[in-house]
Amino acid sequence: MTVLDNRALNRATLARQLLLDRADLPAVEAVAHLCGLQAQEPQEPFTGLWSRLTAFDPAALSELLTSRALVRTHLMRRTVHLVTATDVLAWRARHDAMLRQRVLGVYRDELKGVDLDELSREARELMADGQPRATAEIVRELTPRWPGPGARPLGEVVVAALVPMAQAPPRGLWRTKGGVRNVALASWLGRPVDPPAPEGADPVGRALVRRYLAAFGPAATADLRAWSGLAGLPGAVAAVRGELVSFRDERGRELLDLPDAPRPDPGTPAPVRFLPAFDNAILGYQERGRIIDDAHRGLSVAGERVVLVDGRTAATWTVAEGVVSVAPLRPFSRADRAEVAEEGRRLASFLSDGGSDRVRVASSPH
């Protein structure tokens, strides 16, 4: 079985994630290809798409949210993702059990004795009028009937698990601040989410395997599980295995992939890319060595924005008052520093709507 080293996996990841060459795609198609973008920080998807698309217009992404073609919702790993309406309607029921278990993993004691199905029924009735509500408003309505759990556990289990919700705009619009207001997906999108498949069938699981590999492969089943949060996909993997090809990584893990998906030559040059906080390209794997060194792995869960140089995490970046500041994690060559500065100037201009192209690149560590 062919062994793919980290550099080969890196170039494959960059190609699938639209980071090797910017793609000439509409934003909605890019979001669909990427299986959604992690989006608990509302402005981060704009940088994620700017780094991936040739002519990204942030106003277009805002319009996709207001027109309800894209929605912000709790989905993979119980984190807020920006996904297409089509995908959330198809995928949400498949994530229900995981979403409940993840909330219970945090609030099991507080929710002990609560009939979650009954709570879900009452919460759905409350949200059936289609009115966006802050979580505190939902809690205030439900607490007289459900006083035991306390406000935070009650709010989280309803909003993140029991009732499929969207976060209504202005949350997530370009350069706009807005608190979270939850609205039932069934009201927001005009129809309920697709029902669960019959026992023993898992068409959504099979689709998730294929879609994940298209956006993240080659990958191990542990990577698929880490991205989705779903433990119950072995049956789906087994069902589509005949369509797939297999490799090994340097650790000996089996990697699965779609046969015709891009696997560029490991020597393919990789341009500098600025990634937002919690970017798919890093968080989409259990084994992240293809794109980030073990010494810096903590950056991926701390919400640090990172810079890829030659395809790997080489710096962090921040922006304040129109200035993009870059802090290298390793020594930069003169050419690296020049390319980082040039891409940083373009990013500063994008983030400031053309008001600034200032960038500072700190001295490299020794």
Side-chain angles (χ1 to χ4, degrees):
M1 191 178 294
T2 302
V3 174
L4 299 177
D5 63 19
N6 271 346
R7 189 172 176 90
L9 293 176
N10 175 273
R11 292 315 194 249
T13 293
L14 296 179
R16 313 291 173 90
Q17 285 289 306
L18 314 181
L19 292 166
L20 198 58
D21 295 294
R22 281 184 164 95
D24 184 17
L25 287 176
V28 68
E29 292 184 23
V31 172
H33 167 75
L34 295 166
C35 303
L37 295 170
Q38 191 154 329
Q40 67 263 48
E41 297 293 339
Q43 296 296 302
E44 300 302 302
F46 291 93
T47 301
L49 289 174
W50 175 83
S51 288
R52 289 170 161 91
L53 300 181
T54 54
F56 174 61
D57 178 4
L61 182 56
S62 290
E63 196 278 331
L64 289 167
L65 276 164
T66 56
S67 69
R68 311 183 189 190
L70 296 179
V71 296
R72 293 171 49 81
T73 188
H74 289 87
L75 203 60
M76 283 73 75
R77 306 185 303 281
R78 196 173 72 89
T79 52
V80 176
H81 276 71
L82 182 68
V83 293
T84 68
T86 300
D87 283 343
V88 73
L89 289 168
W91 295 355
R92 179 52 166 79
R94 185 63 179 81
H95 288 75
D96 278 355
M98 178 273 292
L99 294 170
R100 287 194 182 201
Q101 286 304 312
R102 294 231 166 178
V103 176
L104 287 173
V106 179
Y107 298 115
R108 189 172 301 279
D109 291 342
E110 292 87 344
L111 293 166
K112 188 175 182 179
V114 173
D115 184 333
L116 294 181
D117 291 333
E118 178 65 14
L119 174 58
S120 174
R121 185 186 64 77
E122 292 191 13
R124 287 169 192 253
E125 288 179 359
L126 170 65
M127 301 302 296
D129 60 6
Q131 293 301 307
R133 291 175 172 85
T135 301
E137 295 176 81
I138 296 170
V139 167
R140 189 161 58 244
E141 294 281 350
L142 294 173
T143 294
R145 172 75 172 82
W146 304 92
R152 188 180 182 105
L154 183 62
E156 288 207 25
V157 76
V158 168
V159 169
L162 298 183
V163 182
M165 300 275 202
Q167 293 186 353
R171 185 76 169 175
L173 301 184
W174 175 238
R175 300 176 67 81
T176 301
K177 292 185 178 179
V180 175
R181 295 183 308 139
N182 307 285
V183 58
L185 274 173
S187 299
W188 190 245
L189 298 180
R191 72 172 181 84
V193 302
D194 295 346
E199 189 70 30
D202 191 10
V204 174
R206 295 196 296 273
L208 284 169
V209 173
R210 298 185 187 101
R211 294 278 298 277
Y212 173 77
L213 292 175
F216 294 88
T221 54
D223 297 317
L224 171 63
R225 186 165 59 247
W227 165 75
S228 66
L230 299 172
L233 287 175
V237 171
V240 302
R241 183 176 279 274
E243 307 170 16
L244 307 178
V245 292
S246 298
F247 304 95
R248 298 269 179 205
D249 67 10
E250 292 174 314
R251 298 170 54 192
R253 300 188 313 160
E254 183 187 36
L255 306 176
L256 301 174
D257 205 8
L258 303 173
D260 298 326
R263 290 179 289 274
D265 186 288
T268 303
V272 165
R273 292 287 186 256
F274 282 70
L275 300 187
F278 307 112
D279 192 81
N280 292 33
I282 295 176
L283 290 189
Y285 303 94
Q286 184 270 332
E287 169 49 59
R288 297 171 185 166
R290 67 179 68 195
I291 204 164
I292 188 168
D293 294 343
D294 285 344
H296 302 136
R297 184 183 172 109
L299 299 174
S300 62
V301 294
E304 296 279 1
R305 300 160 169 151
V306 303
V307 184
L308 303 183
V309 177
D310 192 29
R312 297 191 62 78
T313 300
T316 61
W317 68 274
T318 58
V319 61
E321 299 179 351
V323 180
V324 168
S325 298
V326 177
L329 297 169
R330 61 164 177 76
F332 280 178
S333 69
R334 184 173 297 179
D336 289 342
R337 182 172 291 272
E339 189 180 357
V340 167
E342 180 57 33
E343 184 73 353
R345 280 189 283 272
R346 288 193 288 264
L347 177 61
S349 180
F350 168 74
L351 293 174
S352 66
D353 290 331
S356 168
D357 65 353
R358 291 180 293 163
V359 62
R360 296 193 190 106
V361 183
S363 298
S364 299
H366 298 295

